[in-house]
Every structure is written in C-alpha cells, then in structure tokens.
Amino acid sequence: MPKVVPEVPDEGAVWSEQDTSPGAVEEALRRLLQQQHARDHAHAPARVLNLVVVVDREWRGEIMNRLEQVGRYHASRTILCTVERDRTTLDARVVLTIEDERQPGDIALTRERVIVEVGEKHLEKLDTIVDPLVVTDLPTVVWSPHGHPEAVDALLQLSQVVLIDSVNEPDLASAVRRAEELAAGAYVVDLAWLRTTPWRERVAATFDPPRWRRELGHIDTVKVRHRPDSGVAGVLFFGWLSSRLDWGPGSLMAANGSIRGRASGRRQDVTLTLEPDPNQAVPGLAGIEIGTASGVSISLDRGPGGLSARRRDPKGRELRWTILGASRGEGGILGEGIRQALLRDPAYRGALDCAEAMLR
C-alpha cells in the first residue's frame, strides 16, 4: 500500500510504495506537488534539469552523499535507479525538499528526488520505467557511475546529455571508444576531462602573452604525470593540444611502464610522454611539463592548495609561483559536470577525436 507522509512545510512531503509501477510514481509526484502548493502557495517546483542516476544499491548512500555536495548545481528532479541483481518488482520513494530558507511571503523552490529500486532484468528496458518520471521539455542527464552500459544505452533516447567518468573504464582504448560511441547520440560530459580544466586554463594563460605565444609553434616535448588509474586524462590533454595547435596526432605506445608517442607539429615533431605517479592520491593529473625547441619550458605540479608553476626562458632564467585554489575537489567536479549539461564545450569533442586517433 502507498504511504503519504506529510511533513512540516519547510521539509516538503514523502511518498513510498512497494511493488509499484511507473504510472503510480508519476501520479504520486503530481499529487504531492499539488498538495504542497495548495497548502501555502509558497513553493514552486524547480524546472531546469532532470538527472537520472543508475547505481548499485549497496553504493546508493555514497552516491547520494556526492550529489549533496554539488552545491547550487542540484538537478530539479533527480531519479535514482538503484540496482539489485535478483529483484523482480519495483519499489519507489518520492521526496520533496525545499531549497534554502525563505522569509514569509517569499516563493521557495521545490526539488524532487525519486528513488526507484529495480533489478538487473529491468536495465535493458529502463527507458520504459524512467520515461513517465522525467519532466518533459527539460534537458535530461544520465549518469551511471557503476557501469551498467545497457541501462545507459536504453536511456539514450530520453536523454540529451550523458555524464561519464572515463577513468572507470578498464583501459585507455576502451575509455575513449566508449566516449566516442556515446558522443554519436548525445552530448558527453566527461569528469576525466573536467579534471584537466585547471591545467588547460593555466597552460593557455601562460602562452597567452604575445611574448610567449609564438613559442606555441616551437613545442617539441610534452610530459604528463597522472594517478595510475587516470591515464585517460593525460591522453585527453594530449588530444586537446593536438586539436588546438593543429598537430597530426601520431600514435601512443606502452614502453617501460609509461606511454610514449609523437605528434606532428607544424615545424617539428612533438615527443609525448605519459607517466603514472603512484604518489598522486586523487583522480586526475599530477604534473605537466612542456618544452620548446628554443629552450623555453613551463611546468605545473600539484601542490598543497593549488598548482606550483615554473617557467624557464631561453637564457635559463626561472620564475616560480603558486596558483592557489586550482582544484575544485571531487564534489566540485561533479557539480561542474551537472552545470556543463546546460552548456556546450566544443573543445572536448576535438580533444576526444585526437585522443582516439592516438590510440588506434
């Protein structure tokens, strides 16, 4: 039997039902919103973004905690599909929450969270369960942090954006290939790519002054260090440089524990090196070093509170400084991923295409 539990006005309401159906969940959502509005006319549903999350049930708490840390980038309606191997029926729970504190007479936004417990048997047809639950005419983002590619594939026809983390794929080639497959039918937001944002921004800023900009055409070495499971972030960084500087992507090959290759620059070949750093504790990059044929080099290294930067000119003179607050942390990365669902970053697809060419 369904349960409707009215809460105090600032906490919204909760509904739950065992052995339910998508139609019953949709009806409960509509009824709770109507009841809440009729109660005090002070709440309006947020209408910006749907987020569909497919997660193994035993990790549901961890994923919900990560979603709580995204700050102001909460989705308007979050649909959490928790997967149990042998489950054959659907259980569901709907929770309405009120955003922020409000003063008397102010309108407050209501956000909706739907938790649907599904079995593995439901994943290939998950679109039939989720379809009645998304808010129509809003962008829909799909995120499946624990794999379940069949669920993502089923939801592609409902979604415009797929949120992925390429570091979760078993190897570099698989990571890039899967991202390319998804990008053929949806806009892809890759957390592995977003973790490189501070590094890309600082490299671009370093070469932006006219005095240093001409050195872009003389780059002949790029070395990237990364956490052992985050090599794809380094390959995407290589792909970004290749796409922006019009390099021929060349190829990458494993050699003595690292990955090496060459790209074809306009004036000379560029030596690429990708090395794992076992001391890197968080996902992403640990350091970057770029050298030019004229003797200029820049390096960025992850350090306490930001990035340690160094630049050496052709005469051997060095300048060192610290870039504070360069990292958003993993909570910030996920929040930025949700925000990017409403934006479009054309640089990613170019970097991805070049990365795919390097790994052929």
Side-chain angles (χ1 to χ4, degrees), residues 227-358:
R227 196 169 88 161
D229 64 353
S230 296
V232 68
V235 175
L236 288 170
F237 182 82
F238 289 156
W240 172 68
L241 287 175
S242 296
S243 64
R244 304 307 293 175
L245 297 177
D246 198 24
W247 294 347
S251 61
L252 296 172
M253 302 290 291
N256 299 322
S258 62
I259 294 177
R260 300 179 186 276
R262 286 185 178 273
S264 300
R266 292 184 176 183
R267 293 183 173 87
Q268 66 277 311
D269 285 349
V270 183
T271 300
L272 306 176
T273 305
L274 192 63
E275 291 186 348
D277 185 343
N279 297 318
Q280 171 73 6
V282 297
L285 304 184
I288 290 172
E289 185 173 351
I290 298 176
T292 75
S294 57
V296 172
S297 69
I298 68 165
S299 66
L300 298 170
D301 294 282
R302 188 184 294 269
L307 299 179
S308 298
R310 176 185 60 81
R311 183 174 61 212
R312 186 180 63 204
D313 68 15
K315 296 182 179 180
R317 294 173 296 195
E318 287 192 359
L319 176 65
R320 296 176 180 268
W321 70 99
T322 299
I323 304 167
L324 299 176
S327 176
R328 299 181 179 91
E330 283 301 292
I333 291 293
L334 181 57
E336 178 64 14
I338 295 173
R339 188 179 79 93
Q340 285 288 331
L342 300 173
L343 306 174
R344 291 294 183 267
D345 181 0
Y348 173 70
R349 189 61 192 271
L352 181 64
D353 291 344
C354 287
E356 193 271 339
M358 290 178 178

Side-chain angles (χ1 to χ4, degrees), residues 5-257:
V5 184
E7 307 282 341
V8 297
D10 288 338
E11 295 181 356
V14 178
W15 171 94
S16 65
E17 185 172 78
Q18 295 180 336
D19 194 7
T20 189
S21 68
V25 181
E26 189 275 334
E27 181 183 352
L29 272 164
R30 183 162 26 87
R31 186 170 66 251
L32 289 181
L33 287 168
Q34 290 172 346
Q35 291 173 352
Q36 181 169 268
H37 179 72
R39 186 171 60 234
D40 57 14
H41 302 283
H43 302 110
R47 288 296 176 258
V48 178
L49 189 72
N50 298 302
L51 174 62
V52 182
V53 184
V54 182
V55 59
D56 291 336
R57 190 179 189 279
E58 59 267 32
W59 296 103
R60 182 179 73 180
E62 180 200 12
I63 296 303
M64 291 179 68
N65 286 338
R66 289 184 66 183
L67 290 172
E68 288 296 323
Q69 297 172 19
V70 301
R72 65 181 184 275
Y73 301 127
H74 287 289
S76 305
R77 179 176 290 181
T78 301
I79 302 166
L80 195 69
C81 300
T82 66
V83 183
E84 290 184 85
R85 175 174 298 179
D86 299 322
R87 173 176 283 276
T88 59
T89 60
L90 305 178
D91 292 354
R93 178 180 174 86
V94 176
V95 180
L96 304 187
T97 58
I98 311 304
E99 184 182 74
D100 301 327
E101 296 182 1
R102 63 181 180 86
Q103 299 298 321
D106 291 345
I107 298 294
L109 290 179
T110 299
R111 299 189 184 273
E112 303 127 60
R113 185 173 69 227
V114 183
I115 301 173
V116 184
E117 298 185 16
V118 303
E120 287 187 344
K121 61 170 287 187
H122 298 111
L123 295 182
E124 291 186 357
K125 299 292 184 181
L126 194 59
D127 56 314
T128 62
I129 296 172
V130 171
D131 191 11
L133 307 182
V134 297
V135 182
T136 57
D137 300 325
L138 293 185
T140 297
V141 182
V142 174
W143 179 39
S144 185
H146 301 139
H148 302 298
E150 68 276 29
V152 175
D153 292 342
L155 293 169
L156 281 177
Q157 60 182 317
L158 298 178
S159 58
Q160 294 75 46
V161 183
V162 179
L163 182 64
I164 65 173
D165 191 346
S166 289
V167 303
N168 293 329
E169 295 294 333
D171 55 64
L172 298 181
S174 298
V176 172
R177 185 169 56 250
R178 179 58 173 165
E180 287 276 12
E181 290 173 355
L182 294 171
Y187 177 67
V188 171
V189 177
D190 191 344
L191 301 186
W193 168 255
L194 294 182
R195 293 188 189 98
T196 71
T197 300
W199 306 84
R200 290 183 283 113
E201 289 176 345
R202 272 53 186 195
V203 168
T206 297
F207 285 103
D208 188 57
R211 176 186 176 188
W212 302 109
R213 197 175 305 167
R214 59 179 176 267
E215 294 293 335
L216 288 169
H218 298 286
I219 292 175
D220 61 359
T221 60
V222 182
K223 180 179 178 180
V224 173
R225 293 180 293 107
H226 59 88
R227 196 169 88 161
D229 64 353
S230 296
V232 68
V235 175
L236 288 170
F237 182 82
F238 289 156
W240 172 68
L241 287 175
S242 296
S243 64
R244 304 307 293 175
L245 297 177
D246 198 24
W247 294 347
S251 61
L252 296 172
M253 302 290 291
N256 299 322

